[in-house]
């Protein structure tokens, strides 16, 4: 009897430690892209709404904040986290999983569904090349602010970082995530702390929780309102990675990480930026970095650079899952698939896909 109880307790402990490891991994891999949006999403949306050289008004700040808040609630939380994460195809997520589930529900092969699935998958593969190229290049270019002499080394340094990033993929998602997870935990914690410090600049910013501010903004700004809405959706870029990376980490770790850590940190930071701009409209020029004291600016730039590099991991692992699904559905020829975990079948590495993605990313960097 004692042995049985001990065995059960040991099994529960192992399961619990596995859940927390997967949750930490999901924070490092799945949320990297959406987690770096505070660097630019609020600033771009408010600047676009105000127009070049125009003053930033209270209505604009509260309207944009309201739109960002409800975009995160409806697009990411409701659509991806609560709904689509339940629509898995043998544990896998992504556009092709939805296509397979749709065809299974119809009981036949639908060419319309297949065309939509292939189109969505193609766009995600494109994002898997564009995101690493733009995010890493942008991060490295940011170093010029601290050291202008590094300007001529931006492209070589970007290429080096990307080559290293793609080289470590063969180690497996779990090992990559274990290295990235703690960094992103620090990143989200810093986002929350910066936001909390500055919400006190103008606590009335919390009124943006009311969706009427966002609706009123759209109704009163015409075409500019629609353009701004496009900029607002920068705050939810990377949301598709939650679903695409379902096979790597599982539904519950991703849901827990989003609901109880990532989403609160993002919202607190956005509202902190909003309060800062309400109290000092000129801060919109660089609303994120203006939140940090001067003495902490360089460390924040370094952390932000690391976070944007890590953001690339989400789309890379999502591309591996997507290509494997395409092979299984007969949409692509066979690729070599290496399983990098003895306990989690969704953690895979595709050498040829990794090489093709790297070539595409490097070409984009050189073209940019």
């Amino acid at each position: 009897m004692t042995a049985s109880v001990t065995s059960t307790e040991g099994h529960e402990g192992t399961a619990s430690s596995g859940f927390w490891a997967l949750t930490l991994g999901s924070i490092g891999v799945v949320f990297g892209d959406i987690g770096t949006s505070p660097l630019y999403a609020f600033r771009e949306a408010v600047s676009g709404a105000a127009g070049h050289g125009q003053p930033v008004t209270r209505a604009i700040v509260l309207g944009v904040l309201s739109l960002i808040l409800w975009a995160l609630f409806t697009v990411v939380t409701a659509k991806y986290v609560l709904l689509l994460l339940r629509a898995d195809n043998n544990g896998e997520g992504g556009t092709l999983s939805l296509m397979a589930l749709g065809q299974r529900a119809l009981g036949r092969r639908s060419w319309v569904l297949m065309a939509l699935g292939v189109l969505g998958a193609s766009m995600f593969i494109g994002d898997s090349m564009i995101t690493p190229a733009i995010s890493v290049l942008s991060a490295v270019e940011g170093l010029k602010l601290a050291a202008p002499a590094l300007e001529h080394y931006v492209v070589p340094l970007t290429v080096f970082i990307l080559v290293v990033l793609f080289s470590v993929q063969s180690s497996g998602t779990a090992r990559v995530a274990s290295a990235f997870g703690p960094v992103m935990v620090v990143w989200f914690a810093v986002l929350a702390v910066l936001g909390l410090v500055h919400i006190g600049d103008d606590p009335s910013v919390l009124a943006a929780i009311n969706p009427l501010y966002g609706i009123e903004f759209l109704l009163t700004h015409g075409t500019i309102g629609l353009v701004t809405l496009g900029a607002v959706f920068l705050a939810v870029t990377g949301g598709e990675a939650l679903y695409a990376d379902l096979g790597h980490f599982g539904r519950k770790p991703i849901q827990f990480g989003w609901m109880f850590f990532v989403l609160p940190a993002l919202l607190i930071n956005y509202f902190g930026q909003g309060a800062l701009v309400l109290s000092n409209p000129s801060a919109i020029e660089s609303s994120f970095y203006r939140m940090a004291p001067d003495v902490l600016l360089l460390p924040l730039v370094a952390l932000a650079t690391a976070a944007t590099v890590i953001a690339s991991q989400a789309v890379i692992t999502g591309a591996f899952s997507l290509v494997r699904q395409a092979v299984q559905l007969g949409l692509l020829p066979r690729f070599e698939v290496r399983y990098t975990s003895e306990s989690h079948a969704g953690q895979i590495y595709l050498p040829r896909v990794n090489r093709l993605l790297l070539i595409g990313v490097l070409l984009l960097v050189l073209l940019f």
Side-chain angles (χ1 to χ4, degrees):
M1 183 68 178
T2 303
S4 175
V5 172
T6 304
S7 176
T8 302
E9 290 176 349
H11 176 73
E12 291 176 351
T14 302
S16 177
S17 62
F19 171 81
W20 290 114
L22 288 172
T23 301
L24 178 63
S26 70
I27 291 172
V29 174
V30 175
F31 302 115
D33 195 359
I34 197 170
T36 53
S37 296
L39 283 166
Y40 50 81
F42 177 75
R43 181 195 68 216
E44 293 300 323
V46 171
S47 298
H52 183 69
Q54 298 300 313
V56 176
T57 65
R58 180 181 179 81
I60 288 176
V61 172
L62 294 183
V64 167
L65 271 180
S66 183
L67 290 173
I68 289 177
L69 170 72
W70 289 101
L72 288 171
F73 278 163
T74 56
V75 177
V76 183
T77 305
K79 174 186 174 183
Y80 284 109
V81 176
L82 298 181
L83 181 62
L84 286 182
L85 285 184
R86 296 180 179 275
D88 67 283
N89 183 32
N90 297 322
E92 293 287 350
T95 303
L96 295 182
S97 290
L98 277 182
M99 183 194 76
L101 290 172
Q103 291 183 335
R104 191 180 304 164
L106 291 174
R108 59 182 175 82
R109 173 168 289 194
S110 168
W111 292 106
V112 174
L113 276 179
M114 182 173 291
L116 291 173
V118 170
L119 178 63
S122 301
M123 294 177 70
F124 186 85
I125 294 297
D127 188 33
S128 300
M129 291 186 285
I130 293 172
T131 295
I134 293 179
S135 62
V136 177
L137 185 60
S138 298
V140 175
E141 285 179 339
L143 295 177
K144 294 187 296 184
L145 297 175
L150 292 176
E151 181 175 359
H152 299 295
Y153 298 94
V154 166
V155 173
L157 187 56
T158 300
V159 170
F160 173 76
I161 292 173
L162 288 168
V163 169
V164 171
L165 176 64
F166 279 89
S167 297
V168 301
Q169 298 303 314
S170 59
S171 299
T173 306
R175 293 185 179 181
V176 172
S178 65
F180 287 169
V183 176
M184 292 307 295
V185 166
V186 172
W187 169 252
F188 286 116
V190 168
L191 290 183
V193 170
L194 290 175
L196 282 173
V197 168
H198 285 280
I199 285 178
D201 292 349
D202 192 334
S204 67
V205 72
L206 296 176
I209 295 173
N210 187 341
L212 292 178
Y213 282 97
I215 296 172
E216 182 182 0
F217 173 82
L218 292 177
L219 293 177
T220 57
H221 284 76
T223 305
I224 295 297
L226 293 177
V227 173
T228 304
L229 186 61
V232 164
F233 273 89
L234 289 172
V236 300
T237 55
E240 67 278 1
L242 276 72
Y243 188 37
D245 283 332
L246 176 60
H248 288 262
F249 300 101
R251 175 169 58 91
K252 290 185 177 180
I254 294 175
Q255 288 179 328
F256 185 89
W258 172 257
M259 297 296 291
F260 296 101
F261 187 63
V262 176
L263 177 60
L266 290 175
L267 291 178
I268 290 171
N269 188 267
Y270 282 125
F271 274 80
Q273 290 189 51
L276 173 65
V277 173
L278 284 177
S279 64
N280 179 16
S282 65
I284 192 60
E285 202 174 319
S286 183
S287 58
F288 179 79
Y289 284 113
R290 291 286 292 273
M291 299 174 78
D294 292 340
V295 68
L296 296 179
L297 183 58
L298 284 178
L300 183 60
V301 170
L303 181 61
T305 301
T308 53
V309 172
I310 292 171
S312 305
Q313 184 64 47
V315 289
I316 295 173
T317 54
F320 290 161
S321 297
L322 193 66
V323 170
R324 184 177 70 164
Q325 291 176 56
V327 171
Q328 292 172 338
L329 294 171
L331 300 176
L332 284 176
R334 292 186 177 275
F335 286 86
E336 178 188 357
V337 178
R338 297 180 188 175
Y339 293 88
T340 58
S341 172
E342 295 181 358
S343 59
H344 208 76
Q347 295 185 5
I348 56 175
Y349 167 66
L350 283 70
R352 186 175 299 178
V353 174
N354 194 59
R355 289 194 294 270
L356 291 173
L357 284 177
L358 175 60
I359 292 172
V361 169
L362 294 181
L363 285 174
L364 286 174
V365 169
L366 295 177
L367 287 172
F368 289 148

